[in-house]
Structure formats: structure tokens, C-alpha cells
Amino acid sequence: MTQQPSKDLETKNPLHTHYPRYFDINMRYYLGENNHQKGVNRTKVSVLIAIRFSIVTPGIVRWLYGINHRLALEHLNRLEKDRLLRVVKTHRSPDGRVYVPTYTAAKFAEELMGIDVYFRSNKNPALQFNQNNVAHNLINAFVMLRGIHNYHSDETYAPMWSGFITEPEFKRINNLSDARTVDGAVRLLDGSVAAVEIEHSFKNKTARQVILLKYLASLKKNDYSKIFLFSQSVKIFDDIKRLHEQLFEEMPQRFDKKTRAPLLSESDAELLRASIIYRTKLCSEIEKMFYS
């Protein structure tokens, strides 16, 4: 798919010099004309998922490749045998296990992406990832990949976005303290950039205020032009909307002690209202895949 140059990418924001090379990594899975090509394609995509998201699971490849659980396990165990992945048993994963990449996988991914991979191997593979973030990372991987693999009911290919940057990649290229580290960013079909956030738990008003102010700073610096929120629960979305509306009313009436300026101007509130998009489209799919 040919991309039009993004207006966002023409700004002087240093982040935008790094965005395109990640957006251009092809994460679409193609079936392949024969079993050999199918295997080659699956190996490439599975390794890229493991490298870019730090883990991959049978559930993710089962969904992505349209295969059953047994075949998904066989595929990942074959990559383990080929020393591309290592398995870690953990109750944090819906599958009871995750697979982490090896140094060999990192070198393979570098060839595929044309980007240096920051990789730290560990004798204990369980120390290569944060156990507390497993569910979050898997939902994030599903959402990012789901946007690439979107089809209309008549099976016409209709991606939500053409490429993405994962949370670890975003952290590496964005070391600005006032920018909120989001769960990733995507390049939309018009070339603009949207942040992606996975909201799978309730947060209090204080936390929401901090998040809103960091969103605002990033929007004003043109790190991205909108924020897509995804969740497994419409109730979580309803709670976020309720707190946001309260804050949009309250913050313009409260003042920063140092600058004596309002915490949020009316125009800032309108910018945030227009830029935060609640994507309910995948709620039921996320709930079924990770919470059923």
C-alpha cells in the first residue's frame, strides 16, 4: 500500500525522524502458496512479534494464523527447537506459557527489519520480561496486529492502520520527560499518527488528570494527533468518560501554583475532547480472547 507523506512527519519533531522505519516494518501475515512458504511466513511474523512485543503466545498465533491450539503449540515449539524462542511457564498468560526471543531471533529480526535490535539475553528466560505486564502486552499485541489484519464482511482487506510502533520501541525513541509513554503508536491510512492506549483497569481521578496533562503536552508537540483507547470493557470506557468530563469542567477553574495559570484552558479541554477516541470495536474480541 503506497502511503501519502504525512503532514505530521514533515514537522521538526525529532520523534518523526524515527517513526517511519518502524511503521514500514511489514507485520501482515500472508498465507503462502504452499506449506513451505506458509512456514517461512509464520516464522518471520512470530519472531517479529516476539522481538517487538518481548513475548508471543499460542493464543496470538492461533488467532493470527487461523489454526487450532495444537498447531499453534507445534509451530512455537519448532521455533524453540530452532533456538529462536524459549518457553516460560506462567499463570499470567491465558495459555499458561509465553515464548521469549533468543539472541538468534534478535539477529534474524535485524535482517528482516533493517533496524538494530536492543536485546539483553538472560540465562533465566523468565527475567527477560515483566511478569506483571504479560496480559497488558498480549492485549496490546493483539490490538496492534488486529488493526493490520482487518477485513470487511465481504473479506475485502480494510486495515485500520498501515504500521505501528510498540511500547518498548516508543520508549526508546521518546525520552522526553513530559511526554506520556503510550502503549504504542500507529500510522493511519492518511499518514497521520495516533497513539494507542490499552485500558483494562479502572483508574482514579488523580491518575486521569496526570494522564490528560501528558496527552496534552504530546498533542501540542505533535508527537501524535489523536489517542485511540481500547478496552475489554465498555464499563471502563464509561468510567473514563465520566472522569474526563469532570476534569474538563474542574481543571480550568484550578490554577498552577507556580505559573498561576489554569491547569487546563478551555481550548485545551476542547483539544483533548476532540483527540481522545474510544474504540469500542474490539471490546468483545478482547474480552473473549483474554478474559473468557
Short mmCIF file of all heavy atoms in Angstrom, two decimals, residues 114-163:
data_model
loop_
_atom_site.label_atom_id
_atom_site.label_comp_id
_atom_site.label_asym_id
_atom_site.label_seq_id
_atom_site.Cartn_x
_atom_site.Cartn_y
_atom_site.Cartn_z
N GLY A 114 15.84 -4.32 9.22
CA GLY A 114 16.85 -3.32 8.89
C GLY A 114 17.05 -2.32 10.00
O GLY A 114 17.46 -1.18 9.77
N ILE A 115 16.75 -2.73 11.24
CA ILE A 115 16.87 -1.86 12.41
C ILE A 115 17.64 -2.63 13.49
O ILE A 115 17.38 -3.82 13.70
CB ILE A 115 15.47 -1.48 12.97
CG1 ILE A 115 14.65 -0.74 11.91
CG2 ILE A 115 15.61 -0.63 14.22
CD1 ILE A 115 13.22 -0.50 12.33
N ASP A 116 18.55 -1.94 14.17
CA ASP A 116 19.27 -2.59 15.26
C ASP A 116 18.29 -2.97 16.38
O ASP A 116 17.41 -2.19 16.74
CB ASP A 116 20.33 -1.64 15.84
CG ASP A 116 21.50 -1.43 14.89
OD1 ASP A 116 21.67 -2.28 13.99
OD2 ASP A 116 22.21 -0.43 15.04
N VAL A 117 18.46 -4.18 16.90
CA VAL A 117 17.61 -4.66 17.98
C VAL A 117 18.37 -4.55 19.30
O VAL A 117 19.49 -5.06 19.42
CB VAL A 117 17.17 -6.12 17.74
CG1 VAL A 117 16.45 -6.67 18.97
CG2 VAL A 117 16.27 -6.21 16.51
N TYR A 118 17.77 -3.87 20.27
CA TYR A 118 18.37 -3.78 21.60
C TYR A 118 17.93 -5.02 22.37
O TYR A 118 16.79 -5.13 22.80
CB TYR A 118 17.90 -2.51 22.32
CG TYR A 118 18.33 -1.25 21.63
CD1 TYR A 118 17.59 -0.71 20.58
CD2 TYR A 118 19.50 -0.60 22.01
CE1 TYR A 118 18.00 0.44 19.92
CE2 TYR A 118 19.92 0.56 21.36
CZ TYR A 118 19.16 1.06 20.32
OH TYR A 118 19.56 2.20 19.67
N PHE A 119 18.84 -5.96 22.51
CA PHE A 119 18.47 -7.25 23.08
C PHE A 119 19.39 -7.63 24.23
O PHE A 119 20.61 -7.57 24.10
CB PHE A 119 18.52 -8.34 22.01
CG PHE A 119 18.12 -9.70 22.52
CD1 PHE A 119 16.79 -10.02 22.73
CD2 PHE A 119 19.09 -10.65 22.80
CE1 PHE A 119 16.42 -11.27 23.21
CE2 PHE A 119 18.73 -11.91 23.29
CZ PHE A 119 17.39 -12.21 23.49
N ARG A 120 18.77 -7.99 25.37
CA ARG A 120 19.53 -8.49 26.51
C ARG A 120 19.12 -9.93 26.77
O ARG A 120 17.99 -10.20 27.18
CB ARG A 120 19.24 -7.65 27.76
CG ARG A 120 19.89 -6.28 27.75
CD ARG A 120 19.62 -5.58 29.05
NE ARG A 120 20.22 -4.25 29.10
CZ ARG A 120 20.07 -3.41 30.11
NH1 ARG A 120 19.34 -3.76 31.15
NH2 ARG A 120 20.64 -2.22 30.09
N SER A 121 20.03 -10.84 26.54
CA SER A 121 19.76 -12.25 26.82
C SER A 121 19.93 -12.50 28.31
O SER A 121 20.60 -11.75 29.01
CB SER A 121 20.71 -13.14 26.02
OG SER A 121 20.37 -14.48 26.21
N ASN A 122 19.28 -13.55 28.80
CA ASN A 122 19.39 -13.90 30.20
C ASN A 122 19.37 -15.42 30.33
O ASN A 122 18.60 -16.08 29.63
CB ASN A 122 18.23 -13.28 30.99
CG ASN A 122 18.51 -13.21 32.48
OD1 ASN A 122 18.73 -14.23 33.13
ND2 ASN A 122 18.52 -12.00 33.02
N LYS A 123 20.21 -15.94 31.21
CA LYS A 123 20.23 -17.39 31.40
C LYS A 123 18.86 -17.90 31.83
O LYS A 123 18.45 -18.99 31.46
CB LYS A 123 21.29 -17.77 32.45
CG LYS A 123 22.71 -17.63 31.95
CD LYS A 123 23.71 -18.10 33.00
CE LYS A 123 25.13 -17.98 32.47
NZ LYS A 123 26.14 -18.44 33.47
N ASN A 124 18.14 -17.08 32.61
CA ASN A 124 16.78 -17.41 33.01
C ASN A 124 15.82 -16.61 32.13
O ASN A 124 15.67 -15.40 32.30
CB ASN A 124 16.56 -17.06 34.48
CG ASN A 124 15.16 -17.40 34.96
OD1 ASN A 124 14.32 -17.87 34.18
ND2 ASN A 124 14.89 -17.16 36.22
N PRO A 125 15.16 -17.26 31.17
CA PRO A 125 14.29 -16.52 30.24
C PRO A 125 13.13 -15.80 30.92
O PRO A 125 12.60 -14.84 30.38
CB PRO A 125 13.79 -17.61 29.28
CG PRO A 125 13.95 -18.89 30.03
CD PRO A 125 15.15 -18.71 30.90
N ALA A 126 12.76 -16.23 32.13
CA ALA A 126 11.67 -15.58 32.85
C ALA A 126 12.03 -14.16 33.26
O ALA A 126 11.16 -13.35 33.58
CB ALA A 126 11.29 -16.40 34.08
N LEU A 127 13.34 -13.84 33.24
CA LEU A 127 13.78 -12.50 33.63
C LEU A 127 13.87 -11.55 32.43
O LEU A 127 14.26 -10.40 32.57
CB LEU A 127 15.14 -12.57 34.32
CG LEU A 127 15.19 -13.39 35.62
CD1 LEU A 127 16.60 -13.44 36.19
CD2 LEU A 127 14.22 -12.82 36.65
N GLN A 128 13.51 -12.04 31.24
CA GLN A 128 13.57 -11.20 30.04
C GLN A 128 12.34 -10.30 29.88
O GLN A 128 12.32 -9.44 29.02
CB GLN A 128 13.72 -12.07 28.79
CG GLN A 128 15.14 -12.52 28.54
CD GLN A 128 15.31 -13.28 27.24
OE1 GLN A 128 16.07 -14.23 27.15
NE2 GLN A 128 14.59 -12.87 26.20
N PHE A 129 11.33 -10.54 30.69
CA PHE A 129 10.10 -9.74 30.56
C PHE A 129 9.50 -9.54 31.93
O PHE A 129 9.83 -10.24 32.90
CB PHE A 129 9.09 -10.45 29.64
CG PHE A 129 8.61 -11.78 30.17
CD1 PHE A 129 7.41 -11.88 30.85
CD2 PHE A 129 9.37 -12.93 29.98
CE1 PHE A 129 6.98 -13.11 31.35
CE2 PHE A 129 8.94 -14.16 30.46
CZ PHE A 129 7.74 -14.24 31.16
N ASN A 130 8.64 -8.54 32.04
CA ASN A 130 7.97 -8.23 33.31
C ASN A 130 6.71 -9.09 33.44
O ASN A 130 5.76 -8.95 32.67
CB ASN A 130 7.60 -6.74 33.33
CG ASN A 130 7.06 -6.31 34.68
OD1 ASN A 130 6.49 -7.10 35.42
ND2 ASN A 130 7.21 -5.03 35.00
N GLN A 131 6.72 -9.99 34.42
CA GLN A 131 5.59 -10.90 34.60
C GLN A 131 4.27 -10.15 34.83
O GLN A 131 3.21 -10.59 34.42
CB GLN A 131 5.85 -11.81 35.81
CG GLN A 131 7.02 -12.76 35.63
CD GLN A 131 6.61 -14.14 35.15
OE1 GLN A 131 5.43 -14.45 35.04
NE2 GLN A 131 7.59 -14.96 34.83
N ASN A 132 4.37 -8.97 35.49
CA ASN A 132 3.15 -8.21 35.79
C ASN A 132 2.50 -7.61 34.55
O ASN A 132 1.34 -7.21 34.59
CB ASN A 132 3.48 -7.09 36.78
CG ASN A 132 3.92 -7.61 38.13
OD1 ASN A 132 3.44 -8.64 38.58
ND2 ASN A 132 4.84 -6.91 38.77
N ASN A 133 3.27 -7.51 33.46
CA ASN A 133 2.75 -6.85 32.25
C ASN A 133 2.35 -7.83 31.15
O ASN A 133 2.05 -7.41 30.04
CB ASN A 133 3.81 -5.89 31.68
CG ASN A 133 4.07 -4.72 32.61
OD1 ASN A 133 3.27 -4.44 33.49
ND2 ASN A 133 5.19 -4.05 32.42
N VAL A 134 2.34 -9.13 31.46
CA VAL A 134 2.07 -10.12 30.41
C VAL A 134 0.71 -9.90 29.75
O VAL A 134 0.61 -9.81 28.52
CB VAL A 134 2.17 -11.56 30.97
CG1 VAL A 134 1.59 -12.57 29.99
CG2 VAL A 134 3.62 -11.91 31.27
N ALA A 135 -0.35 -9.83 30.55
CA ALA A 135 -1.70 -9.67 29.99
C ALA A 135 -1.79 -8.37 29.19
O ALA A 135 -2.33 -8.36 28.07
CB ALA A 135 -2.74 -9.69 31.10
N HIS A 136 -1.25 -7.30 29.75
CA HIS A 136 -1.27 -6.00 29.07
C HIS A 136 -0.54 -6.07 27.73
O HIS A 136 -1.05 -5.61 26.70
CB HIS A 136 -0.62 -4.95 29.97
CG HIS A 136 -0.55 -3.58 29.37
ND1 HIS A 136 -1.59 -2.69 29.45
CD2 HIS A 136 0.42 -2.97 28.65
CE1 HIS A 136 -1.26 -1.57 28.83
NE2 HIS A 136 -0.05 -1.71 28.33
N ASN A 137 0.65 -6.67 27.73
CA ASN A 137 1.45 -6.76 26.50
C ASN A 137 0.76 -7.61 25.43
O ASN A 137 0.84 -7.31 24.23
CB ASN A 137 2.84 -7.32 26.80
CG ASN A 137 3.71 -6.35 27.56
OD1 ASN A 137 3.33 -5.21 27.78
ND2 ASN A 137 4.88 -6.80 27.97
N LEU A 138 0.09 -8.67 25.86
CA LEU A 138 -0.58 -9.55 24.90
C LEU A 138 -1.80 -8.86 24.28
O LEU A 138 -2.04 -8.97 23.08
CB LEU A 138 -1.01 -10.86 25.58
CG LEU A 138 0.13 -11.79 25.99
CD1 LEU A 138 -0.41 -13.00 26.74
CD2 LEU A 138 0.94 -12.24 24.76
N ILE A 139 -2.56 -8.13 25.11
CA ILE A 139 -3.70 -7.38 24.57
C ILE A 139 -3.20 -6.31 23.60
O ILE A 139 -3.77 -6.10 22.53
CB ILE A 139 -4.53 -6.74 25.70
CG1 ILE A 139 -5.15 -7.82 26.58
CG2 ILE A 139 -5.63 -5.83 25.13
CD1 ILE A 139 -5.79 -7.28 27.86
N ASN A 140 -2.11 -5.66 23.98
CA ASN A 140 -1.51 -4.64 23.12
C ASN A 140 -1.09 -5.24 21.78
O ASN A 140 -1.37 -4.67 20.71
CB ASN A 140 -0.29 -4.04 23.84
CG ASN A 140 0.08 -2.68 23.30
OD1 ASN A 140 -0.67 -2.06 22.56
ND2 ASN A 140 1.25 -2.20 23.68
N ALA A 141 -0.44 -6.40 21.82
CA ALA A 141 -0.01 -7.06 20.59
C ALA A 141 -1.22 -7.43 19.73
O ALA A 141 -1.22 -7.23 18.50
CB ALA A 141 0.80 -8.31 20.92
N PHE A 142 -2.27 -7.94 20.37
CA PHE A 142 -3.48 -8.31 19.63
C PHE A 142 -4.09 -7.09 18.94
O PHE A 142 -4.43 -7.15 17.75
CB PHE A 142 -4.51 -8.94 20.58
CG PHE A 142 -5.86 -9.13 19.95
CD1 PHE A 142 -6.06 -10.08 18.95
CD2 PHE A 142 -6.94 -8.34 20.32
CE1 PHE A 142 -7.30 -10.24 18.35
CE2 PHE A 142 -8.18 -8.49 19.73
CZ PHE A 142 -8.36 -9.45 18.75
N VAL A 143 -4.22 -5.98 19.68
CA VAL A 143 -4.83 -4.77 19.10
C VAL A 143 -4.02 -4.25 17.92
O VAL A 143 -4.57 -3.95 16.85
CB VAL A 143 -4.98 -3.68 20.18
CG1 VAL A 143 -5.32 -2.33 19.55
CG2 VAL A 143 -6.06 -4.07 21.18
N MET A 144 -2.71 -4.15 18.09
CA MET A 144 -1.84 -3.65 17.01
C MET A 144 -1.94 -4.52 15.76
O MET A 144 -2.08 -4.02 14.64
CB MET A 144 -0.39 -3.61 17.49
CG MET A 144 -0.12 -2.65 18.62
SD MET A 144 0.04 -0.96 18.02
CE MET A 144 0.80 -0.20 19.44
N LEU A 145 -1.87 -5.83 15.97
CA LEU A 145 -1.93 -6.77 14.84
C LEU A 145 -3.35 -6.84 14.25
O LEU A 145 -3.52 -6.98 13.04
CB LEU A 145 -1.49 -8.16 15.29
CG LEU A 145 0.00 -8.28 15.65
CD1 LEU A 145 0.24 -9.54 16.49
CD2 LEU A 145 0.86 -8.30 14.40
N ARG A 146 -4.34 -6.71 15.12
CA ARG A 146 -5.74 -6.76 14.66
C ARG A 146 -6.03 -5.60 13.71
O ARG A 146 -6.78 -5.74 12.73
CB ARG A 146 -6.67 -6.72 15.88
CG ARG A 146 -8.16 -6.70 15.57
CD ARG A 146 -8.64 -7.97 14.93
NE ARG A 146 -10.07 -7.91 14.74
CZ ARG A 146 -10.69 -7.22 13.77
NH1 ARG A 146 -9.97 -6.52 12.90
NH2 ARG A 146 -12.00 -7.22 13.67
N GLY A 147 -5.44 -4.44 14.00
CA GLY A 147 -5.64 -3.28 13.12
C GLY A 147 -5.05 -3.49 11.74
O GLY A 147 -5.59 -3.00 10.74
N ILE A 148 -3.93 -4.23 11.67
CA ILE A 148 -3.31 -4.55 10.38
C ILE A 148 -4.13 -5.58 9.64
O ILE A 148 -4.25 -5.54 8.41
CB ILE A 148 -1.87 -5.09 10.60
CG1 ILE A 148 -0.96 -4.02 11.22
CG2 ILE A 148 -1.28 -5.63 9.30
CD1 ILE A 148 -0.52 -2.95 10.28
N HIS A 149 -4.74 -6.53 10.39
CA HIS A 149 -5.48 -7.65 9.79
C HIS A 149 -6.98 -7.42 9.95
O HIS A 149 -7.68 -8.19 10.60
CB HIS A 149 -5.06 -8.97 10.42
CG HIS A 149 -3.61 -9.29 10.23
ND1 HIS A 149 -2.61 -8.80 11.05
CD2 HIS A 149 -2.98 -10.02 9.28
CE1 HIS A 149 -1.44 -9.23 10.62
NE2 HIS A 149 -1.62 -9.97 9.55
N ASN A 150 -7.47 -6.35 9.34
CA ASN A 150 -8.89 -6.04 9.43
C ASN A 150 -9.54 -6.20 8.05
O ASN A 150 -8.99 -5.76 7.04
CB ASN A 150 -9.09 -4.60 9.91
CG ASN A 150 -10.54 -4.31 10.25
OD1 ASN A 150 -11.15 -4.99 11.08
ND2 ASN A 150 -11.12 -3.30 9.62
N TYR A 151 -10.70 -6.85 8.04
CA TYR A 151 -11.40 -7.12 6.78
C TYR A 151 -12.88 -6.77 6.93
O TYR A 151 -13.46 -6.90 8.01
CB TYR A 151 -11.29 -8.61 6.40
CG TYR A 151 -9.88 -9.06 6.10
CD1 TYR A 151 -9.00 -9.42 7.11
CD2 TYR A 151 -9.42 -9.13 4.79
CE1 TYR A 151 -7.70 -9.82 6.85
CE2 TYR A 151 -8.12 -9.54 4.50
CZ TYR A 151 -7.27 -9.89 5.54
OH TYR A 151 -5.99 -10.29 5.27
N HIS A 152 -13.48 -6.33 5.82
CA HIS A 152 -14.93 -6.13 5.80
C HIS A 152 -15.61 -7.50 5.79
O HIS A 152 -14.96 -8.53 5.59
CB HIS A 152 -15.35 -5.34 4.55
CG HIS A 152 -14.95 -3.89 4.59
ND1 HIS A 152 -15.10 -3.11 5.71
CD2 HIS A 152 -14.42 -3.08 3.63
CE1 HIS A 152 -14.67 -1.88 5.45
NE2 HIS A 152 -14.25 -1.84 4.19
N SER A 153 -16.93 -7.50 5.97
CA SER A 153 -17.68 -8.76 6.00
C SER A 153 -17.57 -9.53 4.68
O SER A 153 -17.71 -10.75 4.66
CB SER A 153 -19.15 -8.49 6.32
OG SER A 153 -19.70 -7.56 5.39
N ASP A 154 -17.31 -8.81 3.57
CA ASP A 154 -17.15 -9.49 2.28
C ASP A 154 -15.70 -9.92 2.04
O ASP A 154 -15.33 -10.28 0.92
CB ASP A 154 -17.65 -8.60 1.13
CG ASP A 154 -16.83 -7.32 0.99
OD1 ASP A 154 -15.89 -7.11 1.80
OD2 ASP A 154 -17.13 -6.53 0.08
N GLU A 155 -14.88 -9.85 3.12
CA GLU A 155 -13.48 -10.27 3.10
C GLU A 155 -12.56 -9.32 2.31
O GLU A 155 -11.43 -9.65 2.00
CB GLU A 155 -13.32 -11.71 2.58
CG GLU A 155 -14.04 -12.73 3.46
CD GLU A 155 -13.68 -14.16 3.10
OE1 GLU A 155 -12.83 -14.37 2.21
OE2 GLU A 155 -14.28 -15.07 3.70
N THR A 156 -13.07 -8.11 2.02
CA THR A 156 -12.21 -7.08 1.43
C THR A 156 -11.24 -6.59 2.50
O THR A 156 -11.64 -6.30 3.63
CB THR A 156 -13.05 -5.89 0.93
OG1 THR A 156 -14.01 -6.37 -0.01
CG2 THR A 156 -12.16 -4.84 0.26
N TYR A 157 -9.96 -6.48 2.15
CA TYR A 157 -8.95 -6.04 3.11
C TYR A 157 -9.17 -4.57 3.43
O TYR A 157 -9.25 -3.73 2.53
CB TYR A 157 -7.55 -6.26 2.53
CG TYR A 157 -6.42 -5.90 3.46
CD1 TYR A 157 -6.36 -6.41 4.76
CD2 TYR A 157 -5.38 -5.06 3.05
CE1 TYR A 157 -5.32 -6.11 5.62
CE2 TYR A 157 -4.33 -4.74 3.90
CZ TYR A 157 -4.31 -5.28 5.19
OH TYR A 157 -3.28 -4.95 6.04
N ALA A 158 -9.29 -4.26 4.73
CA ALA A 158 -9.58 -2.88 5.15
C ALA A 158 -8.85 -2.57 6.45
O ALA A 158 -9.45 -2.50 7.53
CB ALA A 158 -11.09 -2.71 5.34
N PRO A 159 -7.52 -2.40 6.39
CA PRO A 159 -6.75 -2.18 7.62
C PRO A 159 -7.16 -0.90 8.33
O PRO A 159 -7.54 0.09 7.69
CB PRO A 159 -5.31 -2.09 7.10
CG PRO A 159 -5.44 -1.65 5.68
CD PRO A 159 -6.69 -2.30 5.17
N MET A 160 -7.10 -0.91 9.65
CA MET A 160 -7.36 0.30 10.44
C MET A 160 -6.15 1.22 10.39
O MET A 160 -6.28 2.43 10.54
CB MET A 160 -7.64 -0.07 11.90
CG MET A 160 -8.83 -0.96 12.13
SD MET A 160 -9.03 -1.22 13.92
CE MET A 160 -9.86 -2.80 13.93
N TRP A 161 -4.97 0.64 10.24
CA TRP A 161 -3.72 1.40 10.12
C TRP A 161 -2.72 0.59 9.31
O TRP A 161 -2.91 -0.60 9.09
CB TRP A 161 -3.15 1.77 11.49
CG TRP A 161 -3.18 0.66 12.51
CD1 TRP A 161 -2.35 -0.43 12.59
CD2 TRP A 161 -4.10 0.54 13.62
NE1 TRP A 161 -2.68 -1.21 13.67
CE2 TRP A 161 -3.75 -0.64 14.31
CE3 TRP A 161 -5.15 1.32 14.07
CZ2 TRP A 161 -4.44 -1.06 15.45
CZ3 TRP A 161 -5.84 0.90 15.21
CH2 TRP A 161 -5.49 -0.27 15.88
N SER A 162 -1.67 1.23 8.85
CA SER A 162 -0.73 0.57 7.95
C SER A 162 0.56 0.11 8.64
O SER A 162 1.33 -0.66 8.07
CB SER A 162 -0.36 1.51 6.79
OG SER A 162 0.28 2.68 7.29
N GLY A 163 0.80 0.60 9.85
CA GLY A 163 2.00 0.20 10.57
C GLY A 163 1.92 0.68 12.01
O GLY A 163 1.05 1.49 12.36
#
